[in-house]
Amino acid sequence: MTDDARLTLVEHLGELRKRLIISSIVIILGSLLCYNYIDIIIQLIVRPAEGLEFIYLSPPELFIAYVKISLVLGLFVASPIVLFQIWMFIKPGLKVKERKYVLFAMFMGIIFLLIGVSFAYFIIIPMTIKFFIKMSVDQIAPLFSFANYISFISSLLLSFGLVFELPLIIILLTQLGLVAPNTFKKYRKMVILGIFIVAAILTPPDVVSQTMMAIPMLFLYEFSIIVSTIIYRKKKEEKQSKINDES
């Protein structure tokens, strides 16, 4: 049986079950590994808020926060194997050209995700925290709950990681011939409005975080249009060259 051959429904479900079991086991092992090094991980997490002191408001709060951190990082550590399991599941139903696009999307998706997370960790989070600390007065000192801090930085890291996938999405749509660059240019004003709405939804409810997310999104959108235009022109030239050769 070749890769392109259709599997029966039972075989599909069996294959899916196998991939899910492997992924779940790897995520659990990754989470346990991360929990084993939780002290080192916590030092990295609180580094952007250097100088601040944290509290926890209930006996289980800190433990629950540690478990959540371990699970999220466990998923991140296990992501290469999880992505491989996804690839092995969808591979038989893809054509050769489609496989290249999917592999490219997976690889570049990880790269853009890491860039977005790094940008948030090293630049956005420290700037945002410093901004809020400056708002304190003598009678009101900044004292943060660790659980709330984890929720705050998690939403920023995840949001910026996802936002930095925008160029990849636009490039893939152009490469697949689904959308032309002129379409992105035509609806630029609507996209700008949408960017600020998305920034307000994804980030914590403060103007600083929302603005700091919207600005990179605008830059990424304009950058994506430039790359999309280059790809579109190249595809058009290759198509015209092929027509000329055939004639």
Side-chain angles (χ1 to χ4, degrees):
M1 179 183 261
T2 62
D3 285 343
D4 294 327
R6 290 187 176 180
L7 300 175
T8 65
L9 178 60
V10 175
E11 289 173 325
H12 271 299
L13 293 176
E15 183 70 11
L16 177 61
R17 179 174 175 272
K18 174 185 175 182
R19 302 301 173 189
L20 288 175
I21 290 174
I22 294 174
S23 299
S24 300
I25 292 174
V26 173
I27 292 172
I28 292 172
L29 291 176
S31 300
L32 292 174
L33 177 65
C34 291
Y35 190 83
N36 190 50
Y37 294 97
I38 193 67
D39 292 338
I40 299 175
I41 294 170
I42 293 301
Q43 292 177 13
L44 295 174
I45 290 175
V46 300
R47 183 173 294 176
E50 187 176 357
L52 289 181
E53 293 184 2
F54 296 97
I55 61 172
Y56 57 97
L57 305 177
S58 62
E61 183 178 299
L62 190 61
F63 172 73
I64 293 173
Y66 284 2
V67 172
K68 289 181 179 178
I69 292 169
S70 300
L71 288 173
V72 172
L73 291 180
L75 176 60
F76 179 77
V77 170
S79 59
I81 298 177
V82 173
L83 288 174
F84 178 74
Q85 298 303 315
I86 295 173
W87 167 248
M88 291 302 294
F89 179 72
I90 65 175
K91 180 182 174 182
L94 299 175
K95 299 177 182 178
V96 176
K97 190 175 182 180
E98 292 173 337
R99 291 178 185 177
K100 293 180 180 178
Y101 289 147
V102 172
L103 283 175
F104 170 79
M106 285 184 171
F107 176 76
M108 294 305 299
I110 295 174
I111 299 299
F112 281 113
L113 179 68
L114 291 176
I115 294 174
V117 169
S118 300
F119 179 73
Y121 179 81
F122 290 105
I123 299 177
I124 301 301
I125 293 176
M127 288 178 59
T128 306
I129 291 176
K130 287 179 181 178
F131 172 81
F132 288 121
I133 291 175
K134 288 180 179 179
M135 297 179 66
S136 63
V137 294
D138 294 337
Q139 294 80 9
I140 307 175
L143 194 61
F144 297 94
S145 163
F146 184 70
N148 289 335
Y149 173 74
I150 291 298
S151 298
F152 174 75
I153 66 169
S154 296
S155 62
L156 284 179
L157 291 174
L158 178 60
S159 299
F160 275 88
L162 294 176
V163 162
F164 271 66
E165 301 290 335
L166 180 61
L168 176 62
I169 295 172
I170 293 178
I171 290 170
L172 280 176
L173 290 175
T174 305
Q175 187 68 43
L176 293 171
L178 299 176
V179 183
N182 288 335
T183 304
F184 299 118
K185 297 175 183 177
K186 181 180 178 181
Y187 296 102
R188 181 182 274 113
K189 292 182 180 179
M190 294 179 61
V191 170
I192 291 174
L193 176 62
I195 283 174
F196 279 95
I197 293 174
V198 170
I201 294 173
L202 293 180
T203 56
D206 62 87
V207 178
V208 178
S209 301
Q210 294 167 7
T211 304
M212 294 303 293
M213 170 170 282
I215 292 174
M217 287 179 73
L218 293 172
F219 172 78
L220 289 170
Y221 184 73
E222 295 299 329
F223 171 75
S224 302
I225 291 177
I226 295 172
V227 177
S228 175
T229 302
I230 295 172
I231 293 174
Y232 184 78
R233 287 176 180 173
K234 185 177 179 181
K235 286 174 65 68
K236 196 172 181 180
E237 289 173 0
E238 290 177 351
K239 186 177 180 179
Q240 186 63 44
S241 178
K242 187 177 180 181
I243 292 173
N244 293 336
D245 292 341
E246 290 177 353
S247 59

